[in-house]
Amino acid sequence: MIESGEMDIVVNLNLTVEESLLAFMDQYSDGFRLFDKSFMREIIVGSLNQFKTNPGFLKMIVKNDYQVIAQIENLLLQYKQAGVLPADYDTKEGAETATSAIVFEYLSFFYNDDTTFDQCYEGLKRKLHILFHWTAKSGN
C-alpha cells in the first residue's frame, strides 16, 4: 500500500487501471450527486471570487488538487510495479492526463444542464479507457 494525502490507495490487480481509477473517483463523486448542479455552479463561482480577496484560499485548493494528482500517480505506480504498466511508463504524466480528463468531464457536467451524472461518468469511462487500455498489458 502506498500512502498519499488523507486516503490510502490499495490497488486491486483484478481490476483494470481504468476500473481502479473509476473506483477511486467514486469516492469523490458521491458528494457531487447530493447537490443540484446550480448549487455546485455557485460553489465554483464563489470559489473563484474568493481567490481575489483571499490568496490563501487558492493555495489551499491547489494543494488539495495536487494531493489528488499524487494519489492517482501512486495508484498508477502500483500498477507499474506490478508489471501491468510498462517499466518506462511516466506515472506523473499519466496522473496529470487522467486528472485533465476527470476535470473536463465534471466541469462539463456542472455547466451543461442537459448532461446527467451517468453521462458524465460514461464520458469519464471512455476517456480513461482511451488513456489506459492500449498502455496496460492484458491479463490484469
Side-chain angles (χ1 to χ4, degrees):
M1 175 181 350
I2 297 174
E3 293 185 26
S4 174
E6 295 180 12
M7 277 191 249
D8 293 334
I9 300 173
V10 179
V11 171
N12 177 350
L13 293 176
N14 293 320
L15 299 177
T16 65
V17 175
E18 56 214 72
E19 289 168 337
S20 285
L21 280 168
L22 285 168
F24 174 70
M25 289 314 302
D26 283 344
Q27 298 173 49
Y28 289 96
S29 62
D30 281 345
F32 296 154
R33 296 176 194 226
L34 297 175
F35 301 104
D36 181 68
K37 283 186 190 189
S38 61
F39 178 73
M40 292 303 291
R41 283 192 289 260
E42 290 298 322
I43 290 175
I44 293 168
V45 170
S47 296
L48 292 173
N49 287 331
Q50 185 67 243
F51 298 152
K52 296 176 192 173
T53 58
N54 185 355
F57 184 75
L58 175 61
K59 288 180 184 178
M60 179 188 72
I61 297 295
V62 169
K63 180 181 175 184
N64 183 59
D65 289 346
Y66 277 109
Q67 286 176 341
V68 172
I69 294 169
Q71 291 169 327
I72 293 172
E73 182 178 359
N74 284 328
L75 182 145
L76 297 176
L77 180 61
Q78 290 180 63
Y79 274 100
K80 181 177 175 177
Q81 290 170 340
V84 175
L85 292 171
D88 64 346
Y89 184 81
D90 188 333
T91 56
K92 182 178 186 298
E93 290 294 327
E96 291 172 357
T97 303
T99 301
S100 297
I102 292 163
V103 168
F104 172 82
E105 284 299 327
Y106 285 142
L107 286 177
S108 295
F109 166 69
F110 291 134
Y111 285 101
N112 184 348
D113 287 330
D114 297 331
T115 303
T116 67
F117 190 82
D118 289 339
Q119 289 170 323
C120 167
Y121 195 78
E122 287 302 313
L124 182 55
K125 281 173 55 174
R126 286 189 305 274
K127 285 172 180 56
L128 292 176
H129 180 76
I130 288 169
L131 290 173
F132 295 104
H133 179 74
W134 305 110
T135 305
K137 297 176 184 175
S138 61
N140 57 327

